[in-house]
Amino acid sequence: MNLYEVYDRYPIALNKAQDLYVWDSNDQQYLDLYGGHAVISIGHSHPHYIERITHQLQHIGFYSNSIEMPMQQHLADKLAQLSGCHNYQLFLVNSGAEAVENALKLAGVVTKRSKIISISNSFHGRTNLALAVTDNPAIQSPFSNGFQVISVQLNDIDALKEAMDNDVAAVIIEGVQGIAGIYEPDIHFLQTASELSQAHGAKLIVDEIQSGFGRTGKFFSFQQSGIKPDLITFAKGAGNGFPVGGVLIKDDIPVFKNMLGTTFGGSYLACAAMLAVLEVIDDEALVDNAKQQGTYLKAQLLQIPEVTVVRGRGLMLGVEFSLDCKAIRDALLKQKHIFTGVAQGGQVMRLLPALTIQQSHIDAFILALKEVIEAEHSSKSVNRTLSKVEG
């Protein structure tokens, strides 16, 4: 049986990881500034994470949601404490797409409406309803196109006002647009979206799947705006590699048992993984570290002449260059052994390191980046000289 190829893959097989570093099968060490799509939040193989999951597995790994699991309430209490989202219910699932799917379904059920407002260049997942609000026709199916979705440009308040009416079930906005190239909703745009949703009886969904759990220097990215979304989705960094996701449902939304359901969501192991993440974030002050180290990283990047733009906050940054981004990323990986991410069709370097990153990691990256850029200039110079000689 052949495997379905999800993405283009580098010819690298990893077999060991610790904090910001991973090692391949040849024992080559790499600095990981991507964390497998913003998944690694507290560093690879954190000792507390390993201990939590191992201890749980030695007792019980799984049973369905048909029995009492006090760990789930413990998790909800810890999440409320760190996020400040006290007046919400927690519904646990297994992935970001599943969280978005359930949030949209819930908005439709409680409003009895079917129209959705989404944002251009958004990405919310690859399941059917999540794809309907994802701005990428290449991966949508005819089923996804059957939903009534209106797309407006990010931060275009006039377009948002024009699209909003009393038939809208939900407005869905990413806390930070990741795949689009790291673009943030303005504070006023978020506040207007919240006000319009309340005025028209729609539900505001903020997708914090990439930007949540401290990555931007706030527990959730939207919190800089002071709004309280009706529904908040999260995943990725919440489990540090264990497949988890969730929806925070505002207390005033009338939900009932069996409206939503899951077999694996909120299992013992999933709760152990998320609790470990939250405990490390709390104990090691990683939200503050993300803010401080992100500020330092951004400042260092902006001192490089070939860096034209740096977008984002904390440890969710998008970098553009005056040189070819792909060539820079390839050289960083193959010559300097540093993993980085990509966005906007290859034009943007995405940096999504673990929240445990320190200044020494950043300094090593900046030095390597400068050396790669210098080598790129030298290569271009040689090519120009050769062209003149051949001409």
Side-chain angles (χ1 to χ4, degrees), residues 267-305:
S267 71
Y268 290 101
L269 287 178
C271 287
M274 282 189 280
L275 277 165
V277 168
L278 291 171
E279 287 158 358
V280 172
I281 286 174
D282 191 12
D283 293 345
E284 299 184 11
L286 293 187
V287 178
D288 287 340
N289 191 64
K291 182 178 180 179
Q292 293 167 12
Q293 300 298 339
T295 299
Y296 178 74
L297 173 55
K298 195 170 187 177
Q300 295 302 304
L301 285 165
L302 288 170
Q303 290 180 24
I304 300 173

Side-chain angles (χ1 to χ4, degrees), residues 2-223:
N2 293 323
L3 287 173
Y4 169 75
E5 293 192 16
V6 180
Y7 305 119
D8 290 333
R9 300 191 188 205
Y10 291 109
I12 299 170
L14 301 178
N15 61 9
K16 186 173 66 174
Q18 184 67 50
D19 197 22
L20 266 288
Y21 295 100
V22 294
W23 287 261
D24 68 15
S25 53
N26 296 316
D27 209 32
Q28 174 62 57
Q29 177 181 286
Y30 296 80
L31 176 61
D32 182 12
L33 299 183
Y34 191 53
H37 308 307
V39 167
I40 301 301
S41 52
I42 60 170
H44 292 281
S45 306
H46 192 287
H48 182 64
Y49 182 79
I50 293 172
E51 181 184 4
R52 258 284 194 183
I53 294 176
T54 302
H55 176 80
Q56 187 58 54
L57 192 56
Q58 288 170 341
H59 290 77
I60 180 172
F62 175 79
Y63 206 81
S64 74
N65 283 286
S66 60
I67 52 94
E68 293 287 343
M69 281 186 271
M71 281 184 75
Q72 292 180 341
Q73 188 58 57
H74 185 190
L75 170 62
D77 292 342
K78 189 67 176 178
L79 180 55
Q81 175 203 335
L82 296 193
S83 70
C85 296
H86 295 282
N87 299 318
Y88 287 82
Q89 296 183 56
L90 171 62
F91 175 57
L92 294 165
V93 291
N94 310 284
S95 69
E98 191 179 347
V100 168
E101 198 87 8
N102 278 281
L104 287 167
K105 170 194 167 181
L106 186 55
V109 169
V110 299
T111 63
K112 296 180 171 57
R113 303 172 185 176
S114 58
K115 188 187 294 185
I116 304 166
I117 298 175
S118 67
I119 306 299
S120 299
N121 301 315
S122 59
F123 185 89
H124 297 286
R126 295 173 186 265
T127 52
N128 199 32
L129 189 48
L131 269 178
V133 293
T134 290
D135 190 8
N136 187 347
I139 59 174
Q140 290 176 337
S141 75
F143 298 110
S144 302
N145 295 329
F147 297 101
Q148 191 177 5
V149 178
I150 301 170
S151 183
V152 302
Q153 290 293 324
L154 183 67
N155 297 325
D156 189 336
I157 289 176
D158 290 338
L160 182 62
K161 289 179 177 178
E162 185 177 347
M164 179 63 79
D165 59 32
N166 291 333
D167 293 324
V168 172
V171 180
I172 184 165
I173 304 171
E174 289 171 272
V176 178
Q177 288 193 324
I179 288 179
I182 313 297
Y183 291 93
E184 294 187 74
D186 293 339
I187 288 175
H188 187 40
F189 184 77
L190 283 174
Q191 291 171 341
T192 302
S194 179
E195 292 164 3
L196 288 172
S197 295
Q198 291 177 37
H200 290 273
K203 301 304 175 188
L204 176 61
I205 304 170
V206 178
D207 179 344
E208 293 276 1
I209 288 162
Q210 272 199 37
S211 53
F213 275 62
R215 179 152 297 281
T216 64
K218 294 282 189 182
F219 192 90
F220 289 124
S221 179
F222 73 80
Q223 289 174 319

